[in-house]
């Protein structure tokens, strides 16, 4: 049995290669001092889910609804990242579905977490999330084929499913004429190098 909860990693801002991204942004936007890790509460987001973890077992399914709450003092653009442990022999025995609107989603990306392979799906919220607001739902459902063996299940780690939210302040980007969430996030959190876990 796998408990389908979340290993929540909920820092307010994280980047895979901080120095390179900062250099790229400084060159493009000028020396604005952004995006930087926030210590003043300007960018402060949290993952919200009101459902208890569910057990996933052969022949069964489990669902989880997640939202993002803006607890900071500025609007934010954000990306919501899901990582599901990848096991070559059993990946095709999982049916993974996301039900959502108001988000752009990318194809699966291959990443590693602690030397273990994962598949990551990233959702980009298409609007600015205002202070105090909670984003629309992202519902994840994972079904497991009844042909999954005990040996295959034993290879899954306790953090089989992880999620992370990454947020930026949109104001400095708008000041430079970058007015869409996707454009700003592609600069600050490029999908090709993104691994926030």
């Amino acid at each position: 049995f796998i408990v389908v909860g979340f290993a929540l990693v909920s820092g307010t801002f994280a980047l895979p290669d901080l120095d390179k991204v900062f250099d790229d942004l400084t060159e493009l936007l000028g020396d604005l001092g952004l995006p930087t890790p926030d210590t003043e509460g300007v960018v402060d987001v949290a993952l919200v889910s009101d459902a208890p973890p569910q057990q996933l077992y052969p022949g069964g399914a489990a669902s989880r609804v997640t939202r993002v709450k803006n607890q900071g003092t500025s609007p934010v653009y954000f990306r919501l990242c899901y990582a599901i442990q990848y096991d070559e022999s059993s990946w095709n025995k999982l049916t993974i579905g996301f039900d959502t609107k108001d988000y752009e989603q990318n194809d699966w990306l291959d990443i590693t977490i602690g030397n273990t392979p994962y598949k990551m799906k990233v959702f980009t919220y298409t609007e600015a999330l205002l202070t105090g607001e909670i984003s629309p739902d992202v519902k994840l459902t994972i079904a497991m084929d009844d042909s999954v063996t005990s040996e295959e299940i034993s290879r899954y780690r306790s953090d089989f499913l992880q999620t992370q939210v990454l947020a930026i302040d949109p104001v400095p980007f708008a000041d430079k004429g970058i007015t869409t969430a996707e454009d700003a996030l592609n600069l600050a959190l490029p999908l090709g190098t993104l691994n926030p876990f």
Side-chain angles (χ1 to χ4, degrees), residues 23-185:
D23 288 346
D24 292 346
L25 286 170
T26 299
E27 181 179 335
L28 180 70
L29 301 177
D31 187 10
L32 300 176
L34 72 103
T36 57
D38 176 56
T39 58
E40 302 294 325
V42 174
V43 176
D44 183 6
V45 294
L47 292 166
V48 179
S49 183
D50 50 18
Q54 299 177 7
Q55 287 189 334
L56 180 62
Y57 52 87
S63 295
R64 188 78 167 175
V65 174
T66 303
R67 304 169 198 89
V68 174
K69 182 176 182 180
N70 183 355
Q71 304 176 137
T73 59
S74 168
V76 295
Y77 292 148
F78 72 87
R79 283 191 158 145
L80 187 56
C81 307
Y82 291 85
I84 298 173
Q85 186 180 340
Y86 175 75
D87 177 71
E88 185 176 7
S89 69
S90 60
W91 181 256
N92 290 333
K93 298 178 183 179
L94 299 177
T95 302
I96 302 166
F98 292 92
D99 183 16
T100 186
K101 60 180 180 177
D102 301 319
Y103 293 86
E104 296 291 330
Q105 63 179 295
N106 71 293
D107 293 330
W108 289 106
L109 298 169
D110 295 318
I111 64 169
T112 58
I113 303 172
N115 297 319
T116 300
Y118 278 75
K119 296 279 189 180
M120 182 175 70
K121 180 77 79 169
V122 179
F123 293 83
T124 300
Y125 187 56
T126 56
E127 304 292 334
L129 187 65
L130 302 179
T131 299
E133 284 191 347
I134 296 177
S135 72
D137 296 349
V138 176
K139 182 179 181 181
L140 164 64
T141 301
I142 303 176
M144 182 178 283
D145 191 84
D146 58 9
S147 66
V148 173
T149 66
S150 296
E151 181 184 347
E152 288 169 333
I153 290 176
S154 71
R155 290 196 287 268
Y156 286 115
R157 297 174 12 163
S158 60
D159 54 358
F160 160 81
L161 172 64
Q162 298 185 45
T163 191
Q164 167 72 286
V165 57
L166 304 175
I168 61 173
D169 181 351
V171 173
F173 293 91
D175 290 345
K176 291 295 181 175
I178 300 166
T179 58
T180 69
E182 190 162 12
D183 287 346
L185 288 163

Side-chain angles (χ1 to χ4, degrees), residues 15-17 20-21 109 111 120 186 188-196:
L15 291 171
D17 182 354
K20 179 174 185 337
V21 174
L109 298 169
I111 64 169
M120 182 175 70
N186 283 342
L189 303 165
L191 290 174
T193 59
L194 183 64
N195 182 351

